[in-house]
Amino acid sequence: MSSLEVAIVGYGLAGAVFHAPLIAAEPRMRVAAVVTGSAERAERARRAHDGVRVFPDADALFEDLRGIGLVVVATPNHTHAPLAARALDAGIPTVVDKPFAVTVGEAEELVTRADRAGVAMSVFQNRRWDGDFRTVRALVEDGTLGAVRRFESRFERWRPVPKGGWREIGSAAEGAGLLFDLGSHLVDQALTLFGPVRSVYGELDRRRPGIQTDDDVFLALTHENGVRSHLWMSAVTPQLGPRFRVLGADAGYLTYGLDPQEEALRAGRDPGEDDWGTVDSERWGLLGAEPDLSPHPTLAGDYPAFYAEMAAAILDGAPVPVDPRDAVAALRVLEAARRSSGSGTPVPLT
């Protein structure tokens, strides 16, 4: 097999905006099938991807997997694990959008299924390829900051009026709320940088009327190496904090604003453009120690790298872009945060 026919299960925001354009931009992949029950989304898929087969539901797809070399699960959170299990049991490599599952038990079972079947599986933690995170990672790994003592990371929004979607009115058992939505990214980034966590303290709140699960969250992680990660995710922040503030023994790094790739995808830009993911110099972060601070170039974001690496994993035997065991570790942190918020005290993980 020299190329991959890809089936995307779910063609809402995740499937149509985040996955499909990146798959289409990868030379060794093609969007060959889409699952959606919406006539409008089905027509959108046909316009965007020549020759795409559209299925009304997952059952129809799994009855006709001819030619499919990769299944991408981009459906509501509580359906991730059951759909991924069906793909793995059919012997098809699988990408699962975040969160990987809604419980650690579900996630561990998926890893077992993939190992037993000898099938490649990865989790779409695309924020590892944000330009600002790539910059932080480079500064941490090359020692520019010295020994890191505190890592601060935020995904904050100002949405005082709820939109009413399932992420706001669904239950925690369904994986709704910001802890599992944005927290999946923030925790994954912290673990990628600083490794396993010794204890977790969480504050999960519901601030807006009509909300059924958390819309304002703070997590404090103590890593086994002593680094402390403070993570904020909120829909009720009238003044936004820095995206990253990283404090080391020798220097710090501070940056505001979001990686531009999400906005570019929403606007329909082609991920194959030469300037994809670049950040203008006026938006670079500040590096140094007081009073000697200076703008530091932000590395270009690279979401297309995820599916390039996934193609290499399936076709060439390379490692998957995100090890699903990393996602299991992140889920342990998220579950501990929920327990901690109920008790008001840190929860040990080791």
Side-chain angles (χ1 to χ4, degrees):
M1 183 187 298
S2 60
S3 64
L4 290 163
E5 303 277 280
V6 182
I8 304 175
V9 185
Y11 204 68
L13 175 65
V17 174
F18 284 97
H19 291 276
L22 300 177
I23 293 166
E26 167 49 43
R28 297 204 287 176
M29 289 185 173
R30 183 178 81 87
V31 178
V34 163
V35 174
T36 178
S38 162
E40 184 275 327
R41 291 175 179 176
E43 182 57 31
R44 190 193 323 162
R46 293 187 179 99
R47 290 196 305 267
H49 309 288
D50 290 341
V52 68
R53 293 187 289 155
V54 178
F55 295 90
D57 53 45
D59 288 340
L61 169 69
F62 286 112
E63 289 171 3
D64 185 10
L65 285 169
R66 54 189 164 92
I68 298 300
L70 172 66
V71 169
V72 175
V73 178
T75 52
N77 294 348
H78 71 282
T79 66
H80 287 183
L83 288 169
R86 293 183 71 176
L88 295 170
D89 289 348
I92 308 295
T94 304
V95 166
V96 187
D97 208 328
K98 61 79 198 168
F100 183 32
V102 295
T103 69
V104 169
E106 283 185 337
E108 290 177 329
E109 173 61 23
L110 288 178
V111 171
T112 298
R113 285 175 184 265
D115 288 346
R116 186 167 57 229
V119 174
M121 177 174 62
S122 191
V123 181
F124 190 62
Q125 291 289 357
N126 60 305
R127 294 289 182 175
R128 291 191 187 186
W129 288 270
D130 279 358
D132 47 16
F133 179 71
R134 294 185 68 223
T135 304
V136 169
R137 189 171 186 176
L139 293 171
V140 170
E141 291 179 351
D142 69 16
T144 298
L145 305 177
V148 174
R149 295 163 174 167
R150 189 178 306 277
F151 171 66
E152 298 177 7
S153 177
R154 293 171 172 84
F155 274 144
E156 294 175 327
R157 300 164 174 163
W158 175 231
R159 293 179 179 170
V161 178
K163 292 184 176 182
W166 66 265
R167 286 182 174 84
E168 295 179 323
I169 63 175
S171 68
E174 295 172 306
L178 290 189
L179 178 68
F180 270 60
D181 184 14
L182 302 180
S184 295
H185 287 307
L186 297 184
V187 169
D188 177 73
Q189 289 180 336
L191 296 183
T192 297
L193 289 173
F194 306 113
V197 167
R198 185 166 65 238
S199 67
V200 179
Y201 169 74
E203 297 173 0
L204 280 64
D205 291 296
R206 290 181 289 177
R207 304 293 190 185
R208 296 171 295 173
I211 294 297
Q212 300 302 310
T213 188
D214 50 90
D215 62 356
D216 189 22
V217 178
F218 168 72
L219 302 184
L221 316 182
T222 301
H223 296 265
E224 290 183 1
N225 62 7
V227 175
R228 296 186 186 274
S229 290
H230 287 179
L231 314 175
W232 289 262
M233 57 227 74
S234 178
V236 290
T237 307
Q239 294 189 18
L240 308 185
R243 174 67 186 90
F244 290 113
R245 190 170 80 130
V246 192
L247 304 178
D250 300 328
Y253 176 72
L254 176 74
T255 186
Y256 284 82
L258 294 177
D259 177 276
Q261 293 177 95
E262 177 176 346
E263 182 181 354
L265 287 170
R266 287 176 180 266
R269 288 185 55 193
D270 182 355
E273 295 174 5
D274 290 341
D275 64 345
W276 181 260
T278 59
V279 174
D280 295 335
S281 58
E282 61 267 22
R283 293 183 55 196
W284 290 350
L286 291 177
L287 174 66
E290 295 287 358
D292 299 318
L293 307 179
S294 59
H296 182 75
T298 301
L299 295 173
D302 193 13
Y303 288 175
F306 179 90
Y307 278 108
E309 292 185 27
M310 195 65 199
I314 298 169
L315 298 174
D316 307 328
V320 295
V322 176
D323 189 325
R325 291 167 181 80
D326 293 351
V328 175
L331 278 168
R332 286 198 180 94
V333 172
L334 297 177
E335 286 190 352
R338 187 166 282 155
R339 295 196 305 273
S340 171
S341 183
S343 67
T345 59
V347 170
L349 262 69
T350 57

